Amino acid sequence: FPVAVTGGGSIKFKQQLGEVADLHIIDEMDSLINGMDWMLRYCPEECYYLKQYTFEHEIEIATYTEEINYPYLVVNIGTGASILKVDNPGRFTRVGGSALGGGTFYGLSRALAGCESFEEALQMAAKGHATNANLLVRDIYGGNYDQLGLSGETVAAYFGKFVRSDGMKGCSKEDMVKAVLLMITNNISAVANLYAHKVLKVPRIIYTGSFLRNNTISLQSLAHGSMYWSEGKVNALFAKHEGFFGAIGSMLMRKTDKH
């Protein structure tokens, strides 16, 4: 019987795979959304949020117990990032995205620090201090910028200290990798929350994708960003079974013969 496959590889290697199996190719985003939506409907404790997300303390995870109503946004972060608005079961629209993502993080980490794997890059980031590379508001104003409500700790320019003649002194490879990770994550967070709270008026964002796997720093940054942009009203949501939605969706869609 046909083997359900999804993802970029199912298209790229269609000819080779077709020589050994009868393929049932299902679109990557179709399988993702259908799998996630099914889990949200039938596994009420699928989502969680970070009850404690500041970098000064250990994260504290809590199960999200409220019903997730339509519409909601899915931010899928892999090589890049896609922002999808889900209106009802099986119906979604890609409303935006970013060319920044896991591919950017790993690529820049290899270029700047010689990392040999994504996991090594995450380990280096965990040891780094991004403030040794990033220019902060306090570096410009000497403290907070009260007129705009900006804390002195707010990043004014990622890697902004490097424009100074001595800016790279004391900045380690770990510091640079940490700065790259925060630059990517915070930009995705800002774009996603702009769509959710300003453009589309969608109350919930669920973050998923391989970029977030074992990536505590990005989870914390996304949690902080959601609270910041929603003025403390909305938690960023994450999925316990991230990584399985494509397979679940493919199984469901093959069973219902939608493809």
Side-chain angles (χ1 to χ4, degrees):
F1 58 87
V3 177
V5 292
T6 189
S10 67
I11 304 298
K12 185 175 182 179
F13 301 108
K14 177 181 178 180
Q15 182 176 349
Q16 296 92 318
L17 292 170
E19 295 175 357
V20 297
D22 183 9
L23 301 182
H24 192 116
I25 298 176
I26 297 173
D27 178 77
E28 180 178 4
M29 292 304 164
D30 280 337
S31 63
L32 168 70
I33 296 302
N34 277 275
M36 172 181 281
D37 204 58
W38 189 89
M39 289 293 289
L40 293 178
R41 299 307 128 211
Y42 295 101
C43 300
E45 296 187 350
E46 171 62 28
C47 286
Y48 68 93
Y49 64 97
L50 301 191
K51 195 172 181 179
Q52 202 311 108
Y53 52 79
T54 61
F55 289 110
E56 295 77 16
H57 303 90
E58 290 290 324
I59 65 170
E60 183 179 346
I61 293 174
T63 297
Y64 185 76
T65 57
E66 296 180 29
E67 183 178 358
I68 298 176
N69 297 314
Y70 301 106
Y72 61 87
L73 287 190
V74 174
V75 180
N76 187 51
I77 313 174
T79 305
S82 286
I83 302 174
L84 310 167
K85 179 174 175 275
V86 183
D87 292 299
N88 54 48
R91 183 181 177 186
F92 67 92
T93 307
R94 186 182 189 276
V95 295
S98 174
L100 298 175
T104 317
F105 170 60
Y106 183 31
L108 286 177
S109 295
R110 288 195 69 183
L112 294 171
C115 296
E116 292 297 327
S117 69
F118 188 87
E119 291 72 21
E120 182 186 359
L122 288 178
Q123 291 169 5
M124 290 187 71
K127 300 174 184 176
H129 299 279
T131 53
N132 289 332
N134 297 337
L135 190 71
L136 307 183
V137 167
R138 61 176 162 83
D139 296 319
I140 301 172
Y141 292 95
N144 301 335
Y145 187 2
D146 294 326
Q147 186 172 346
L148 292 184
L150 295 175
S151 162
E153 300 303 310
T154 302
V155 177
Y158 292 99
F159 291 92
K161 286 181 179 175
F162 285 11
V163 302
R164 300 172 177 175
S165 58
D166 61 346
M168 296 184 68
K169 291 181 179 179
C171 186
S172 67
K173 290 182 178 180
E174 289 80 3
D175 297 336
M176 289 189 285
V177 173
K178 177 71 168 288
V180 169
L181 184 57
L182 290 176
M183 176 179 69
I184 293 166
T185 306
N186 290 337
N187 273 273
I188 292 173
S189 176
V191 173
N193 280 282
L194 175 64
Y195 274 105
H197 306 303
K198 301 297 183 182
V199 179
L200 301 172
K201 307 296 184 182
V202 175
R204 291 293 170 200
I205 304 176
I206 304 174
Y207 292 94
T208 187
S210 57
F211 176 69
L212 299 178
R213 208 164 299 155
N214 301 316
N215 186 355
T216 303
I217 293 171
S218 289
L219 294 180
Q220 291 172 289
S221 298
L222 292 171
H224 175 269
S226 212
M227 291 298 285
Y228 175 82
W229 293 108
S230 69
E231 299 178 342
K233 299 175 183 177
V234 180
N235 287 301
L237 300 182
F238 308 98
K240 295 178 181 178
H241 293 92
E242 186 284 316
F244 294 94
F245 297 137
I248 294 170
S250 296
M251 179 187 69
L252 293 170
M253 296 182 75
R254 180 182 179 279
K255 186 175 181 181
T256 55
D257 291 324
K258 289 187 178 180
H259 284 260

